[in-house]
Amino acid sequence: MEAELDGRLRLERSSASKHKLRENGMIPAVVYGKNAGSISIAVDARMLRKILDEAGSNALINMKIKENGKTKKYKVLVKAVQYGPVRRDLIHADFHQISLKDKVHATVPVHLTGSAPGVAAGGILTTLMRRIEVECLATKIPEFIEIDVSGLDIGDVITVSDLVLPPEIKILEDQHAPVVTVTAAGRAEAE
């Protein structure tokens, strides 16, 4: 999913100017990349929060930045977001300008589906990897990696090599690393 976000060039970088931005619903941000260099901007915090909530952290964003009366367009991915420690408000964002022809690295969340028979038999389902790093074109980044656990019995493991993804998506994790396992429940020690 592609989203639209407007950026405003930010000339002042003092703490007071950043505080004033946040009071007005904006947050300081930076766009960097091969063709962009490093551009200090301000973006609407609510719009960015909406994009992150709807499309996830790997959303492809069409960023429009007004510079000297001209509007420049960039394709960007959210590289990092900082939240306030108390209210969890967005306080800063980093955007990475990308080319649609170059492959990028992205971290994709794991979603489990089904119910494992091993859990019904008293086992414990443990997710060992909640996110998996992949390499692909920015337009091919999956929203999540779905893993069906309905075939797992006690002692069974799903490893990275067991995951089935489209051929254009390369997994960068160790192929033998366990992702999900069902283990036998430990017995309570006698008192």
mmCIF file of all heavy atoms in Angstrom, residues 143-176:
data_model
loop_
_atom_site.group_PDB
_atom_site.id
_atom_site.type_symbol
_atom_site.label_atom_id
_atom_site.label_comp_id
_atom_site.label_asym_id
_atom_site.label_seq_id
_atom_site.Cartn_x
_atom_site.Cartn_y
_atom_site.Cartn_z
ATOM 1 N N GLU A 143 3.142 -7.379 4.180
ATOM 2 C CA GLU A 143 2.659 -6.739 5.403
ATOM 3 C C GLU A 143 3.037 -7.590 6.608
ATOM 4 O O GLU A 143 3.377 -7.077 7.669
ATOM 5 C CB GLU A 143 1.147 -6.576 5.321
ATOM 6 C CG GLU A 143 0.561 -5.730 6.410
ATOM 7 C CD GLU A 143 -0.923 -5.506 6.229
ATOM 8 O OE1 GLU A 143 -1.415 -5.567 5.098
ATOM 9 O OE2 GLU A 143 -1.593 -5.278 7.248
ATOM 10 N N PHE A 144 2.964 -8.929 6.452
ATOM 11 C CA PHE A 144 3.358 -9.864 7.493
ATOM 12 C C PHE A 144 3.653 -11.211 6.851
ATOM 13 O O PHE A 144 3.317 -11.446 5.698
ATOM 14 C CB PHE A 144 2.278 -10.008 8.582
ATOM 15 C CG PHE A 144 0.929 -10.395 8.051
ATOM 16 C CD1 PHE A 144 0.607 -11.723 7.820
ATOM 17 C CD2 PHE A 144 -0.021 -9.425 7.776
ATOM 18 C CE1 PHE A 144 -0.632 -12.079 7.316
ATOM 19 C CE2 PHE A 144 -1.266 -9.775 7.274
ATOM 20 C CZ PHE A 144 -1.573 -11.105 7.046
ATOM 21 N N ILE A 145 4.303 -12.096 7.611
ATOM 22 C CA ILE A 145 4.565 -13.470 7.165
ATOM 23 C C ILE A 145 3.644 -14.366 7.975
ATOM 24 O O ILE A 145 3.732 -14.395 9.207
ATOM 25 C CB ILE A 145 6.042 -13.849 7.366
ATOM 26 C CG1 ILE A 145 6.931 -12.965 6.473
ATOM 27 C CG2 ILE A 145 6.267 -15.325 7.062
ATOM 28 C CD1 ILE A 145 8.408 -13.122 6.702
ATOM 29 N N GLU A 146 2.764 -15.073 7.281
ATOM 30 C CA GLU A 146 1.786 -15.924 7.945
ATOM 31 C C GLU A 146 2.343 -17.338 8.090
ATOM 32 O O GLU A 146 2.850 -17.907 7.137
ATOM 33 C CB GLU A 146 0.493 -15.941 7.130
ATOM 34 C CG GLU A 146 -0.650 -16.600 7.825
ATOM 35 C CD GLU A 146 -1.947 -16.431 7.054
ATOM 36 O OE1 GLU A 146 -2.606 -15.396 7.244
ATOM 37 O OE2 GLU A 146 -2.260 -17.334 6.261
ATOM 38 N N ILE A 147 2.248 -17.878 9.298
ATOM 39 C CA ILE A 147 2.730 -19.225 9.576
ATOM 40 C C ILE A 147 1.570 -20.026 10.159
ATOM 41 O O ILE A 147 1.002 -19.649 11.181
ATOM 42 C CB ILE A 147 3.915 -19.208 10.566
ATOM 43 C CG1 ILE A 147 5.077 -18.398 9.988
ATOM 44 C CG2 ILE A 147 4.360 -20.626 10.891
ATOM 45 C CD1 ILE A 147 6.230 -18.201 10.945
ATOM 46 N N ASP A 148 1.229 -21.137 9.506
ATOM 47 C CA ASP A 148 0.161 -22.014 9.979
ATOM 48 C C ASP A 148 0.763 -23.018 10.963
ATOM 49 O O ASP A 148 1.637 -23.795 10.610
ATOM 50 C CB ASP A 148 -0.484 -22.733 8.797
ATOM 51 C CG ASP A 148 -1.663 -23.595 9.204
ATOM 52 O OD1 ASP A 148 -2.121 -23.476 10.358
ATOM 53 O OD2 ASP A 148 -2.131 -24.382 8.365
ATOM 54 N N VAL A 149 0.266 -22.997 12.199
ATOM 55 C CA VAL A 149 0.804 -23.885 13.240
ATOM 56 C C VAL A 149 -0.109 -25.081 13.486
ATOM 57 O O VAL A 149 0.124 -25.854 14.421
ATOM 58 C CB VAL A 149 1.037 -23.123 14.568
ATOM 59 C CG1 VAL A 149 2.097 -22.049 14.394
ATOM 60 C CG2 VAL A 149 -0.249 -22.551 15.117
ATOM 61 N N SER A 150 -1.125 -25.294 12.636
ATOM 62 C CA SER A 150 -2.104 -26.359 12.887
ATOM 63 C C SER A 150 -1.527 -27.766 12.711
ATOM 64 O O SER A 150 -2.192 -28.738 13.030
ATOM 65 C CB SER A 150 -3.336 -26.172 12.007
ATOM 66 O OG SER A 150 -2.983 -26.171 10.645
ATOM 67 N N GLY A 151 -0.302 -27.894 12.237
ATOM 68 C CA GLY A 151 0.321 -29.210 12.108
ATOM 69 C C GLY A 151 1.364 -29.498 13.173
ATOM 70 O O GLY A 151 2.046 -30.524 13.119
ATOM 71 N N LEU A 152 1.515 -28.605 14.147
ATOM 72 C CA LEU A 152 2.578 -28.765 15.145
ATOM 73 C C LEU A 152 2.124 -29.610 16.335
ATOM 74 O O LEU A 152 1.125 -29.321 16.975
ATOM 75 C CB LEU A 152 3.045 -27.407 15.664
ATOM 76 C CG LEU A 152 3.814 -26.526 14.696
ATOM 77 C CD1 LEU A 152 4.247 -25.242 15.376
ATOM 78 C CD2 LEU A 152 5.010 -27.240 14.120
ATOM 79 N N ASP A 153 2.892 -30.644 16.607
ATOM 80 C CA ASP A 153 2.665 -31.481 17.789
ATOM 81 C C ASP A 153 3.794 -31.184 18.778
ATOM 82 O O ASP A 153 4.716 -30.423 18.472
ATOM 83 C CB ASP A 153 2.670 -32.964 17.390
ATOM 84 C CG ASP A 153 1.693 -33.777 18.227
ATOM 85 O OD1 ASP A 153 1.355 -33.324 19.333
ATOM 86 O OD2 ASP A 153 1.284 -34.855 17.764
ATOM 87 N N ILE A 154 3.753 -31.783 19.952
ATOM 88 C CA ILE A 154 4.805 -31.564 20.946
ATOM 89 C C ILE A 154 6.145 -32.008 20.368
ATOM 90 O O ILE A 154 6.269 -33.095 19.813
ATOM 91 C CB ILE A 154 4.494 -32.328 22.245
ATOM 92 C CG1 ILE A 154 3.250 -31.724 22.906
ATOM 93 C CG2 ILE A 154 5.672 -32.286 23.206
ATOM 94 C CD1 ILE A 154 2.783 -32.445 24.147
ATOM 95 N N GLY A 155 7.133 -31.125 20.443
ATOM 96 C CA GLY A 155 8.468 -31.412 19.926
ATOM 97 C C GLY A 155 8.691 -30.931 18.496
ATOM 98 O O GLY A 155 9.808 -30.950 18.006
ATOM 99 N N ASP A 156 7.647 -30.461 17.805
ATOM 100 C CA ASP A 156 7.789 -29.983 16.428
ATOM 101 C C ASP A 156 8.298 -28.542 16.403
ATOM 102 O O ASP A 156 8.032 -27.755 17.314
ATOM 103 C CB ASP A 156 6.451 -30.065 15.688
ATOM 104 C CG ASP A 156 6.030 -31.498 15.401
ATOM 105 O OD1 ASP A 156 6.886 -32.396 15.532
ATOM 106 O OD2 ASP A 156 4.860 -31.711 15.041
ATOM 107 N N VAL A 157 9.017 -28.235 15.333
ATOM 108 C CA VAL A 157 9.613 -26.909 15.171
ATOM 109 C C VAL A 157 9.413 -26.455 13.725
ATOM 110 O O VAL A 157 9.547 -27.253 12.796
ATOM 111 C CB VAL A 157 11.130 -26.947 15.478
ATOM 112 C CG1 VAL A 157 11.775 -25.594 15.242
ATOM 113 C CG2 VAL A 157 11.392 -27.422 16.885
ATOM 114 N N ILE A 158 9.110 -25.175 13.539
ATOM 115 C CA ILE A 158 9.123 -24.570 12.207
ATOM 116 C C ILE A 158 10.347 -23.676 12.163
ATOM 117 O O ILE A 158 10.504 -22.778 13.000
ATOM 118 C CB ILE A 158 7.842 -23.762 11.936
ATOM 119 C CG1 ILE A 158 6.629 -24.693 11.896
ATOM 120 C CG2 ILE A 158 7.967 -22.985 10.627
ATOM 121 C CD1 ILE A 158 5.300 -23.985 11.699
ATOM 122 N N THR A 159 11.233 -23.937 11.192
ATOM 123 C CA THR A 159 12.453 -23.143 11.047
ATOM 124 C C THR A 159 12.288 -22.153 9.903
ATOM 125 O O THR A 159 11.313 -22.214 9.149
ATOM 126 C CB THR A 159 13.677 -24.036 10.780
ATOM 127 O OG1 THR A 159 13.477 -24.697 9.528
ATOM 128 C CG2 THR A 159 13.897 -25.042 11.891
ATOM 129 N N VAL A 160 13.244 -21.264 9.756
ATOM 130 C CA VAL A 160 13.225 -20.277 8.686
ATOM 131 C C VAL A 160 13.156 -20.961 7.320
ATOM 132 O O VAL A 160 12.431 -20.529 6.428
ATOM 133 C CB VAL A 160 14.464 -19.350 8.773
ATOM 134 C CG1 VAL A 160 14.597 -18.472 7.553
ATOM 135 C CG2 VAL A 160 14.394 -18.511 10.038
ATOM 136 N N SER A 161 13.862 -22.085 7.149
ATOM 137 C CA SER A 161 13.864 -22.780 5.860
ATOM 138 C C SER A 161 12.498 -23.379 5.521
ATOM 139 O O SER A 161 12.218 -23.667 4.363
ATOM 140 C CB SER A 161 14.932 -23.878 5.831
ATOM 141 O OG SER A 161 14.664 -24.845 6.822
ATOM 142 N N ASP A 162 11.607 -23.547 6.515
ATOM 143 C CA ASP A 162 10.266 -24.070 6.274
ATOM 144 C C ASP A 162 9.301 -23.007 5.752
ATOM 145 O O ASP A 162 8.213 -23.339 5.290
ATOM 146 C CB ASP A 162 9.680 -24.670 7.558
ATOM 147 C CG ASP A 162 10.483 -25.856 8.054
ATOM 148 O OD1 ASP A 162 11.032 -26.594 7.216
ATOM 149 O OD2 ASP A 162 10.570 -26.039 9.294
ATOM 150 N N LEU A 163 9.670 -21.741 5.854
ATOM 151 C CA LEU A 163 8.781 -20.661 5.430
ATOM 152 C C LEU A 163 8.696 -20.605 3.913
ATOM 153 O O LEU A 163 9.699 -20.730 3.218
ATOM 154 C CB LEU A 163 9.265 -19.320 5.972
ATOM 155 C CG LEU A 163 9.397 -19.220 7.487
ATOM 156 C CD1 LEU A 163 9.900 -17.848 7.879
ATOM 157 C CD2 LEU A 163 8.071 -19.506 8.165
ATOM 158 N N VAL A 164 7.492 -20.398 3.421
ATOM 159 C CA VAL A 164 7.262 -20.323 1.978
ATOM 160 C C VAL A 164 6.883 -18.884 1.630
ATOM 161 O O VAL A 164 5.828 -18.400 2.036
ATOM 162 C CB VAL A 164 6.136 -21.285 1.536
ATOM 163 C CG1 VAL A 164 5.913 -21.171 0.046
ATOM 164 C CG2 VAL A 164 6.477 -22.712 1.933
ATOM 165 N N LEU A 165 7.764 -18.226 0.894
ATOM 166 C CA LEU A 165 7.534 -16.854 0.447
ATOM 167 C C LEU A 165 7.692 -16.798 -1.063
ATOM 168 O O LEU A 165 8.340 -17.662 -1.657
ATOM 169 C CB LEU A 165 8.533 -15.906 1.116
ATOM 170 C CG LEU A 165 8.407 -15.729 2.622
ATOM 171 C CD1 LEU A 165 9.524 -14.853 3.145
ATOM 172 C CD2 LEU A 165 7.070 -15.113 2.972
ATOM 173 N N PRO A 166 7.124 -15.768 -1.701
ATOM 174 C CA PRO A 166 7.326 -15.627 -3.147
ATOM 175 C C PRO A 166 8.810 -15.555 -3.489
ATOM 176 O O PRO A 166 9.623 -15.097 -2.678
ATOM 177 C CB PRO A 166 6.623 -14.304 -3.462
ATOM 178 C CG PRO A 166 5.638 -14.115 -2.354
ATOM 179 C CD PRO A 166 6.259 -14.742 -1.143
ATOM 180 N N PRO A 167 9.190 -16.002 -4.696
ATOM 181 C CA PRO A 167 10.616 -16.064 -5.054
ATOM 182 C C PRO A 167 11.322 -14.710 -5.063
ATOM 183 O O PRO A 167 12.537 -14.654 -4.889
ATOM 184 C CB PRO A 167 10.620 -16.691 -6.452
ATOM 185 C CG PRO A 167 9.216 -16.629 -6.932
ATOM 186 C CD PRO A 167 8.330 -16.492 -5.754
ATOM 187 N N GLU A 168 10.588 -13.618 -5.217
ATOM 188 C CA GLU A 168 11.244 -12.306 -5.260
ATOM 189 C C GLU A 168 11.588 -11.777 -3.864
ATOM 190 O O GLU A 168 12.209 -10.738 -3.725
ATOM 191 C CB GLU A 168 10.385 -11.280 -6.013
ATOM 192 C CG GLU A 168 9.064 -10.956 -5.369
ATOM 193 C CD GLU A 168 7.896 -11.811 -5.861
ATOM 194 O OE1 GLU A 168 8.096 -12.815 -6.555
ATOM 195 O OE2 GLU A 168 6.762 -11.457 -5.531
ATOM 196 N N ILE A 169 11.185 -12.520 -2.822
ATOM 197 C CA ILE A 169 11.486 -12.111 -1.449
ATOM 198 C C ILE A 169 12.514 -13.070 -0.865
ATOM 199 O O ILE A 169 12.284 -14.268 -0.764
ATOM 200 C CB ILE A 169 10.210 -12.109 -0.579
ATOM 201 C CG1 ILE A 169 9.189 -11.126 -1.150
ATOM 202 C CG2 ILE A 169 10.553 -11.748 0.859
ATOM 203 C CD1 ILE A 169 7.847 -11.157 -0.470
ATOM 204 N N LYS A 170 13.668 -12.521 -0.490
ATOM 205 C CA LYS A 170 14.752 -13.323 0.068
ATOM 206 C C LYS A 170 14.801 -13.115 1.580
ATOM 207 O O LYS A 170 14.816 -11.989 2.059
ATOM 208 C CB LYS A 170 16.083 -12.892 -0.560
ATOM 209 C CG LYS A 170 17.285 -13.613 -0.021
ATOM 210 C CD LYS A 170 18.556 -13.076 -0.667
ATOM 211 C CE LYS A 170 19.780 -13.725 -0.046
ATOM 212 N NZ LYS A 170 21.015 -13.119 -0.537
ATOM 213 N N ILE A 171 14.825 -14.219 2.320
ATOM 214 C CA ILE A 171 14.926 -14.143 3.779
ATOM 215 C C ILE A 171 16.400 -14.038 4.158
ATOM 216 O O ILE A 171 17.226 -14.810 3.681
ATOM 217 C CB ILE A 171 14.277 -15.375 4.446
ATOM 218 C CG1 ILE A 171 12.786 -15.417 4.125
ATOM 219 C CG2 ILE A 171 14.498 -15.348 5.949
ATOM 220 C CD1 ILE A 171 12.072 -16.632 4.675
ATOM 221 N N LEU A 172 16.722 -13.081 5.025
ATOM 222 C CA LEU A 172 18.115 -12.836 5.404
ATOM 223 C C LEU A 172 18.503 -13.486 6.730
ATOM 224 O O LEU A 172 19.619 -13.302 7.192
ATOM 225 C CB LEU A 172 18.361 -11.320 5.482
ATOM 226 C CG LEU A 172 18.125 -10.562 4.173
ATOM 227 C CD1 LEU A 172 18.304 -9.070 4.391
ATOM 228 C CD2 LEU A 172 19.046 -11.064 3.074
ATOM 229 N N GLU A 173 17.600 -14.217 7.340
ATOM 230 C CA GLU A 173 17.882 -14.879 8.616
ATOM 231 C C GLU A 173 18.578 -16.222 8.372
ATOM 232 O O GLU A 173 18.546 -16.762 7.271
ATOM 233 C CB GLU A 173 16.581 -15.131 9.380
ATOM 234 C CG GLU A 173 15.722 -13.903 9.593
ATOM 235 C CD GLU A 173 16.271 -12.945 10.634
ATOM 236 O OE1 GLU A 173 17.215 -13.306 11.356
ATOM 237 O OE2 GLU A 173 15.750 -11.828 10.721
ATOM 238 N N ASP A 174 19.185 -16.792 9.429
ATOM 239 C CA ASP A 174 19.799 -18.120 9.372
ATOM 240 C C ASP A 174 18.717 -19.142 9.035
ATOM 241 O O ASP A 174 17.678 -19.202 9.694
ATOM 242 C CB ASP A 174 20.430 -18.442 10.724
ATOM 243 C CG ASP A 174 21.021 -19.843 10.800
ATOM 244 O OD1 ASP A 174 21.184 -20.493 9.745
ATOM 245 O OD2 ASP A 174 21.319 -20.294 11.927
ATOM 246 N N GLN A 175 18.938 -19.943 8.010
ATOM 247 C CA GLN A 175 17.939 -20.900 7.521
ATOM 248 C C GLN A 175 17.579 -21.965 8.557
ATOM 249 O O GLN A 175 16.514 -22.545 8.504
ATOM 250 C CB GLN A 175 18.441 -21.577 6.239
ATOM 251 C CG GLN A 175 18.554 -20.624 5.059
ATOM 252 C CD GLN A 175 17.214 -20.063 4.637
ATOM 253 O OE1 GLN A 175 16.271 -20.796 4.390
ATOM 254 N NE2 GLN A 175 17.124 -18.740 4.563
ATOM 255 N N HIS A 176 18.448 -22.233 9.512
ATOM 256 C CA HIS A 176 18.196 -23.260 10.517
ATOM 257 C C HIS A 176 17.605 -22.696 11.810
ATOM 258 O O HIS A 176 17.320 -23.453 12.738
ATOM 259 C CB HIS A 176 19.482 -24.031 10.832
ATOM 260 C CG HIS A 176 20.102 -24.653 9.618
ATOM 261 N ND1 HIS A 176 19.494 -25.669 8.918
ATOM 262 C CD2 HIS A 176 21.262 -24.388 8.960
ATOM 263 C CE1 HIS A 176 20.256 -25.995 7.870
ATOM 264 N NE2 HIS A 176 21.335 -25.241 7.888
#
